Amino acid sequence: MRLIIQQDYKKASKWTANYIARRILKYKPTSDNPFIMGLPTGSSPIQLYKDLVELHKKGVISFKNVVTFNMDEYIGIPEDHPQSYHSFMNNHFFSHIDIPKENTNILNGNASDLIQECANYEAKIKLYGGIHLFLGGIGPDGHLAFNEPGSSLASRTRIKTLTEDTKIANSRFFDGDTSKVPSTALTVGVGTILDAKEIVIIASGNSKAAAIKQAIERGVNHMWTVSALQLHAKSIVICDEEAIYDIKYSTVKYFKDIESKNLNPDNLLKI
Ligand code: GLP
């Protein structure tokens, strides 16, 4: 696992956006051979989506031949609810770039048969030949997508009940009222994420410090699903200084040292 440490959220976001742009540019996607991405919601990716939009507006990158699969969606709120992940993705990303609507995939939390919806999602990912790059954020309890503590590390797309901690964390988007946060969601599984060829996680702020410690310094453990990244051949965690607050000084020094030549985000676009 690589750990990229940037000074603050803005810099971490810029590094991540440039890294994604580099990956897409190097892949040279076409309509017959698109670049397949997994995408998150939450506050963590907001700035990097802005940065990707800016790169698109400057003509650096096109999303015409990119296909996306979002990680998760709440069950039971209308697609056009301001806090649905459908709305989030349109507002923060899709409506600002040139991605064709038919290339974007988000789980339908209102499907009449939710189990079938999950099976279809997995099948569609497979049909495309799998995900090239899965971008994610993490919850304060280390959850990846909605894979709450105790989720099987082999899990696939399914229905999950949200923990009270997650409902409290996400209530900031629902007028601070946990009772307005849906109790269940559809989410890709940890196994679905681990199947991607590459995983890129952004974490910012000290509320993520405990999870980052588990992910980087402790063992693989289903109580901190982000730690499953240790089992993946190609994963990168990008943190700001606050998110690494709980890791040992020597660990920080080690990663800063081995990545010292890779920390400047501008170099990522020199292709
Ligand atoms: C939600 C999402 C996760 C996201 C997490 C962290 O629970 N399901 O995919 O990573 O929130 O959100 P934030 O980035 O706002 O801290």
Side-chain angles (χ1 to χ4, degrees):
M1 187 197 298
R2 292 178 65 192
L3 174 63
I4 298 288
I5 300 166
Q6 296 282 319
Q7 200 185 335
D8 54 30
Y9 173 62
K10 270 213 128 174
K11 289 187 173 144
S13 301
K14 183 172 181 194
W15 196 97
T16 311
N18 285 7
Y19 183 84
I20 292 166
R22 177 188 178 85
R23 275 276 168 269
I24 297 172
L25 289 171
K26 285 194 103 175
Y27 186 85
K28 298 190 177 74
T30 61
S31 52
D32 292 337
N33 186 28
F35 188 79
I36 319 295
M37 285 188 75
L39 294 180
T41 56
S43 48
S44 306
I46 288 178
Q47 182 60 40
L48 81 88
Y49 284 149
K50 274 190 193 146
D51 292 344
L52 283 172
V53 167
E54 203 184 312
L55 287 174
H56 165 64
K57 288 195 169 142
K58 281 186 187 153
V60 176
I61 186 174
S62 164
F63 294 89
K64 249 187 200 128
N65 296 316
V66 172
V67 170
T68 63
F69 286 88
N70 263 79
M71 293 183 135
D72 44 19
E73 176 59 288
Y74 291 115
I75 292 175
I77 59 172
E79 212 172 284
D80 61 358
H81 185 287
Q83 296 310 331
S84 79
Y85 288 172
H86 281 77
S87 299
F88 177 98
M89 290 310 296
N90 280 327
N91 296 340
H92 291 283
F93 199 34
F94 296 152
S95 63
H96 308 286
I97 57 173
D98 59 346
I99 192 162
K101 179 142 180 47
E102 62 273 20
N103 284 15
T104 64
N105 297 281
I106 305 183
L107 284 154
N108 177 4
N110 294 300
S112 54
D113 184 342
L114 292 170
I115 294 173
Q116 191 59 47
E117 170 69 11
C118 294
N120 293 348
Y121 207 66
E122 287 277 341
K124 196 164 183 191
I125 293 173
K126 217 176 240 163
L127 201 68
Y128 274 107
I131 289 175
H132 293 114
L133 188 157
F134 220 125
L135 172 68
I138 56 171
D141 59 4
H143 70 237
L144 267 181
F146 271 130
N147 293 289
E148 298 283 30
S151 292
S152 160
L153 301 185
S155 52
R156 312 302 307 187
T157 306
R158 68 209 183 291
I159 303 168
K160 275 302 279 183
T161 303
L162 307 188
T163 63
E164 198 52 30
D165 281 351
T166 295
K167 288 175 74 177
I168 291 168
N170 289 2
S171 65
R172 67 192 191 279
F173 303 115
F174 291 84
D175 310 321
D177 182 351
T178 49
S179 71
K180 289 188 184 162
V181 184
S183 298
T184 51
L186 297 182
T187 179
V188 295
V190 181
T192 320
I193 298 170
L194 290 179
D195 277 354
K197 293 189 177 65
E198 179 170 16
I199 305 173
V200 175
I201 299 294
I202 181 165
S204 150
N206 52 21
S207 69
K208 307 293 166 69
I212 289 299
K213 181 178 182 64
Q214 296 287 332
I216 307 287
E217 289 187 320
R218 296 276 166 87
V220 176
N221 186 330
H222 68 166
M223 294 311 285
W224 299 85
T225 52
V226 62
S227 66
L229 290 183
Q230 293 176 25
L231 298 170
H232 196 272
K234 198 170 183 202
S235 64
I236 308 185
V237 178
I238 301 113
C239 288
D240 63 7
E241 292 281 352
E242 285 189 14
I244 54 159
Y245 204 74
D246 281 358
I247 343 185
K248 285 187 292 191
Y249 178 73
S250 55
T251 308
V252 171
K253 200 164 177 314
Y254 167 74
F255 281 105
K256 280 191 173 171
D257 188 32
I258 56 169
E259 296 287 357
S260 62
K261 291 198 170 63
N262 307 321
L263 296 176
N264 182 347
D266 295 327
N267 291 342
L268 293 168
L269 291 179
K270 289 179 189 151
I271 294 168

